[in-house]
Amino acid sequence: GQQVMQIPQYQHVQEGEDFTTYCNSSTTLSNIQWYKQRPGGHPVFLIQLVKSGEVKKQKRLTFQFGEAKKNSSLHITATQTTDVGTYFCAGPPGDSGGYQKVTFGIGTKLQVIP
Amino acid sequence: DAGVIQSPRHEVTEMGQEVTLRCKPISGHNSLFWYRQTMMRGLELLIYFNNNVPIDDSGMPEDRFSAKMPNASFSTLKIQPSEPRDSAVYFCASDLRLALNTGELFFGEGSRLTVL
């Protein structure tokens, strides 16, 4: 079945440093979604990318969808302590037809040191 | 607007007991998902429903787990009998599926289950 992998699993950065997490799927994705989960909280939707090669920005966050629609990245510029949390990528397989099973990666846990 | 509502928020039970987790999706959403989160395995999809019909339950770990969605506003996930390895946070999520579009998943706050 479809597998979604993320690296790194853990990342500690000094406040102000940049951070990047990478997401790779074993199958082509119909789209890719990114979620953030604060410690003790629940996943919250950040963004969805649909097109091959698409790049979207949200303030200090930049999201990219690979040309082959099998990988994605999230880059945070100048991290802040409010960025602390676990970042998940998720996506349904491209061939799933009308019912799309959204599989999550294991997540990248980001710790920001003040 | 109310989000996805889950109950109980915390459950501590003894091995062998039956556990029932409940979820009320966002009104108007037609898809509902049950996920289990552990440190080792991350967020695992257990089952999902579309228009109250189970579409894929291949993630349900074994026969001890069952899920129902009797109507558009309520779903249950039942574990009987429970085992210590079932200890995890169980999330319910819903979204509005339009044709082939995957919508944003809205998660509940989760039910933290501890089986002693």
Side-chain angles (χ1 to χ4, degrees), chain B residues 70-92:
Chain B
N71 57 62
S73 59
F74 184 65
S75 177
T76 58
L77 177 67
K78 190 174 288 188
I79 309 172
Q80 167 64 16
S82 58
E83 296 183 3
R85 59 192 168 124
D86 302 329
S87 298
V89 181
Y90 291 81
F91 286 104
C92 175

Side-chain angles (χ1 to χ4, degrees), chain A residues 9-10 30-31 33 35 37 40-45 48 86 88 92 97-106 109, chain B residues 33 35 37 39-43 45 48 50 55-56 58-59 91 97 99-105 107-110:
Chain A
Q9 269 193 266
Y10 302 94
S30 173
N31 61 71
Q33 299 176 2
Y35 292 78
Q37 184 178 21
H42 57 279
V44 175
F45 177 83
Q48 177 174 290
T86 302
F88 294 94
Y99 298 110
Q100 297 185 324
K101 177 177 175 177
V102 181
T103 300
F104 278 74
I106 199 154
K109 190 171 183 178
Chain B
F33 304 77
Y35 284 90
Q37 186 174 39
M39 289 289 292
M40 293 299 294
R41 301 171 71 93
L43 271 166
L45 177 63
Y48 77 99
N50 186 263
I55 301 301
D56 189 329
S58 60
F91 286 104
R97 295 282 165 104
L100 297 181
N101 248 350
T102 301
E104 165 188 351
L105 288 181
F107 281 80
E109 296 193 4

Side-chain angles (χ1 to χ4, degrees), chain A residues 47-61:
Chain A
I47 206 161
Q48 177 174 290
L49 304 170
V50 179
K51 298 177 185 174
S52 167
E54 189 171 10
V55 178
K56 285 188 177 180
K57 292 192 175 185
Q58 287 181 349
K59 297 181 181 178
R60 296 177 295 103
L61 277 60

Side-chain angles (χ1 to χ4, degrees), chain B residues 10 21-22 27-28 44 51 54 56 60 65 69 71 75 88 97 100 102-103 114:
Chain B
H10 301 274
L21 307 178
R22 299 173 178 78
S27 177
E44 299 175 274
N51 293 322
D56 189 329
M60 297 286 261
F65 285 70
M69 192 164 185
N71 57 62
S75 177
R97 295 282 165 104
L100 297 181
T102 301
T114 303

